[in-house]
């Protein structure tokens, strides 16, 4: 009887532990930009897309992974990585951990036909200092891969074209992707009645350059804040709906979002669509 009573007492405790673990695994705290920490940073960050094997005559495996290691353990480390296939969103992965310095994500995907893969990751850390001040660290990484699966040639892959054949495939796949994205972005700008001449357009997959290239008329420190707050908005409005849908087995489709930087240096606009529904995110620049 005592053993039965003990088991009855343990079962609710175990169920609670399981529910807490499932909740922590499925949920992800919002990415919040705090003032950049001048004394903290990353030891290493990377994003990689690599062809690893040919499964059948018509399919192959690609490994998509992201990794970041901060110089010291942070109160909260969180990364998000997005993979696009010929301009179409293939998937989003996000992971967070408390009191750690390392975040790793890896997934093997199956592809068919010739494809142009692009992956961009945002690596973030929330640092709680002894004086109760909260600061943050951030870094973006990017990788791309062309996989050529044609009946006329043996399967191959490359990241940057070197031979004449590779340059031709780069041109073909790049042109196909650019056409698809240009059509999508123009539809979005027409829908929201945006004057294209007032903005500089940058695809989400092209943001990595701003790690070391300031926006026009801004310092690198100011650019870092603008980009950090941009990712804060992207995570809440673009990433979270997708990872929530995945947990609910709902299929969502999207293309590479476009970021429009206002030439008057007052704000930026993010345009994207989800299942054909047009979305807009406006972010005012800080009053530097």
């Amino acid at each position: 009887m005592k053993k039965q009573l003990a088991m009855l007492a343990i079962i609710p405790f175990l169920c609670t532990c399981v529910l807490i673990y499932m909740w922590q695994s499925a949920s992800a705290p919002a990415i919040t930009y705090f003032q950049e920490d001048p004394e903290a940073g990353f030891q290493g960050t990377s994003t990689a897309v690599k062809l690893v094997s040919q499964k059948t005559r018509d399919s192959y495996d690609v490994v998509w992974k992201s990794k970041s290691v901060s110089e010291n353990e942070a109160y909260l480390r969180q990364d998000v990585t997005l993979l696009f296939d010929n301009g179409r969103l293939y998937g989003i992965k996000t992971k967070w951990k408390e009191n750690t310095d390392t975040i790793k994500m890896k997934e093997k995907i199956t592809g068919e036909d010739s494809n142009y893969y692009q992956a961009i990751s945002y690596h973030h850390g929330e640092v709680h200092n002894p004086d109760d001040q909260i600061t943050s660290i951030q870094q973006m990484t990017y990788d791309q891969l062309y996989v050529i699966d044609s009946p006329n040639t043996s399967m191959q892959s490359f990241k940057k074209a070197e031979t004449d054949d590779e340059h031709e495939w780069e041109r073909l796949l790049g042109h196909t992707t650019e056409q698809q994205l240009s059509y999508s972005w123009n539809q979005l700008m027409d829908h929201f009645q945006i004057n294209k001449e007032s903005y500089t357009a940058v695809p989400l997959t092209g943001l990595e350059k701003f790690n070391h290239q300031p926006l026009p008329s801004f310092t690198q420190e100011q650019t870092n804040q603008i980009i950090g707050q941009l990712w804060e908005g992207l995570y809440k409005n673009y990433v979270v709906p997708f990872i929530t849908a995945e947990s609910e087995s709902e299929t969502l489709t999207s293309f590479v979002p476009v970021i429009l930087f206002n030439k008057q240096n007052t704000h930026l606009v993010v345009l994207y669509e989800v299942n054909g529904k047009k979305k807009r995110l406006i972010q005012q620049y800080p009053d530097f």
Side-chain angles (χ1 to χ4, degrees):
M1 177 64 73
K2 289 183 178 180
K3 288 184 179 181
Q4 290 177 334
L5 290 174
M7 286 298 295
L8 289 173
I10 290 172
I11 288 173
F13 173 75
L14 291 175
C15 290
T16 302
C17 290
V18 170
L19 288 172
I20 291 173
Y21 173 78
M22 291 174 63
W23 175 81
Q24 289 180 332
S25 299
S27 64
I31 287 179
T32 305
Y33 175 83
F34 293 96
Q35 182 179 355
E36 197 170 6
D37 195 315
E39 298 181 359
F42 286 98
Q43 188 178 51
T45 55
S46 65
T47 296
V49 188
K50 182 180 180 182
L51 177 67
V52 291
S53 66
Q54 181 174 350
K55 291 187 69 174
T56 67
R57 188 179 181 86
D58 300 316
S59 65
Y60 50 84
D61 285 336
V62 168
V63 167
W64 159 39
K65 58 185 179 180
S66 169
K67 180 182 178 181
S68 64
V69 181
S70 54
E71 294 174 346
N72 299 293
E73 286 190 358
Y75 172 80
L76 179 65
R77 281 294 335 281
Q78 186 171 7
D79 286 3
V80 57
T81 182
L82 303 93
L83 179 66
F84 296 90
D85 172 7
N86 297 333
R88 185 184 294 271
L89 181 66
Y90 186 94
I92 299 177
K93 295 181 69 65
T94 183
K95 190 174 184 179
W96 64 275
K97 284 185 179 181
E98 293 182 344
N99 302 314
T100 189
D101 58 0
T102 303
I103 296 288
K104 294 181 182 179
M105 290 183 282
K106 181 178 179 181
E107 183 172 335
K108 183 185 288 187
I109 65 173
T110 299
E112 296 179 351
D113 302 322
S114 298
N115 289 298
Y116 175 35
Y117 294 100
Q118 294 174 284
I120 185 165
S121 303
Y122 180 70
H123 315 280
H124 181 262
E126 187 176 309
V127 181
H128 288 208
N129 298 286
D131 59 359
D132 293 332
Q133 182 184 16
I134 302 177
T135 54
S136 62
I137 57 175
Q138 64 179 13
Q139 190 80 15
M140 293 176 287
T141 55
Y142 169 83
D143 195 24
Q144 63 181 26
L145 182 72
Y146 295 87
V147 178
I148 311 307
D149 183 14
S150 169
N152 303 320
T153 61
S154 59
M155 186 173 294
Q156 59 179 301
S157 67
F158 61 89
K159 294 184 180 296
K160 188 176 181 180
E162 296 181 357
T163 67
D164 290 341
D165 284 344
E166 288 176 350
H167 279 292
E168 180 61 17
W169 276 110
E170 181 183 58
R171 186 190 68 80
L172 288 171
L173 290 174
H175 180 67
T176 300
T177 300
E178 184 180 348
Q179 275 193 319
Q180 174 64 69
L181 293 179
S182 292
Y183 177 79
S184 173
W185 297 343
N186 284 330
Q187 291 281 90
L188 286 163
M189 284 186 269
D190 289 343
H191 177 79
F192 291 109
Q193 299 181 333
I194 290 176
N195 180 6
K196 303 173 188 177
E197 302 303 318
S198 300
Y199 295 87
T200 299
V202 178
L204 174 64
T205 49
L207 286 180
E208 187 259 353
K209 66 182 179 182
F210 294 116
N211 279 332
H212 306 292
Q213 176 184 317
L215 290 162
S217 302
F218 291 103
T219 66
Q220 186 63 57
E221 183 178 359
Q222 291 170 334
T223 297
N224 293 346
Q225 181 172 345
I226 290 171
I227 296 299
Q229 291 174 335
L230 167 60
W231 275 101
E232 182 178 335
L234 282 169
Y235 190 85
K236 177 182 178 181
N237 296 280
Y238 188 71
V239 172
V240 169
F242 274 94
I243 58 178
T244 302
E246 286 180 4
S247 66
E248 296 173 351
S249 300
E250 179 187 358
T251 301
L252 300 181
T253 60
S254 182
F255 296 98
V256 177
V258 61
I259 293 84
L260 303 177
F261 294 95
N262 175 257
K263 292 180 180 179
Q264 298 299 315
N265 301 320
T266 58
H267 68 282
L268 62 80
V269 181
V270 182
L271 300 179
Y272 60 98
E273 59 181 84
V274 179
N275 283 3
K277 294 182 180 179
K278 296 174 176 57
K279 307 283 187 176
R280 175 176 60 176
L281 172 64
I282 301 175
Q283 176 183 306
Q284 300 294 328
Y285 290 160
D287 186 16
F288 293 115

